[in-house]
Amino acid sequence: MNFRHILAALLLSLFSLSVAQAAGSPLHEDYTALLAISQKMLDAAKASDVTAFTTAASEASDVAKDQGNKGNSPRLQRISTKIKQAKKAAKAGDFNLATSLTEEAKVEMEKPDVAPTFGGTTEGGGREGMFGKY
């Protein structure tokens, strides 16, 4: 085999390893603006104010959309889905459901970032390996 072919194969394998490492890095997102808006939503739900709740929910959707444009995050998608469902529930007059959905979104925002697990385990999981805990 030609030396160039061996060198090309080696360089391509190193390049693919670096791409896989970059794709597996955890997302560090800042949810402080969304947390403040979700508190406004909870206050409006406790006061049974539909207009204030929908205004705050629209603002939260806009902030989530802006953050979503910076990177594709599964956690942000779950949060924005909960906010949209809460907005629909508030428009229907079901403030108990709107409150519970907003609190679920808030819990999702307050979850700590976990280190990636490269063994196919679930989020937050870990496993003991030959070289320590992953």
Side-chain angles (χ1 to χ4, degrees), residues 59-79:
E59 184 182 353
S61 294
D62 292 340
V63 170
K65 189 176 186 181
D66 289 341
Q67 281 188 352
N69 289 338
K70 295 176 185 172
N72 193 6
S73 166
R75 186 186 296 181
L76 190 60
Q77 291 173 1
R78 290 190 297 267
I79 292 167

Side-chain angles (χ1 to χ4, degrees), residues 39-107:
Q39 188 58 46
K40 288 182 193 176
M41 291 170 61
L42 287 173
D43 293 340
K46 288 178 185 173
S48 299
D49 189 2
V50 177
T51 56
F53 190 90
T54 55
T55 303
S58 297
E59 184 182 353
S61 294
D62 292 340
V63 170
K65 189 176 186 181
D66 289 341
Q67 281 188 352
N69 289 338
K70 295 176 185 172
N72 193 6
S73 166
R75 186 186 296 181
L76 190 60
Q77 291 173 1
R78 290 190 297 267
I79 292 167
S80 63
T81 301
K82 297 278 185 199
I83 290 171
K84 289 176 186 175
Q85 290 173 349
K87 184 178 177 181
K88 287 181 183 178
K91 282 185 177 180
D94 190 2
F95 286 104
N96 290 330
L97 180 62
T99 302
S100 66
L101 287 169
T102 305
E103 287 174 349
E104 288 175 14
K106 197 171 179 181
V107 166

Side-chain angles (χ1 to χ4, degrees), residues 96-123:
N96 290 330
L97 180 62
T99 302
S100 66
L101 287 169
T102 305
E103 287 174 349
E104 288 175 14
K106 197 171 179 181
V107 166
E108 188 72 33
M109 287 182 254
E110 292 172 345
K111 283 184 180 177
D113 292 332
V114 294
T117 55
F118 298 110
T121 59
T122 59
E123 181 179 320

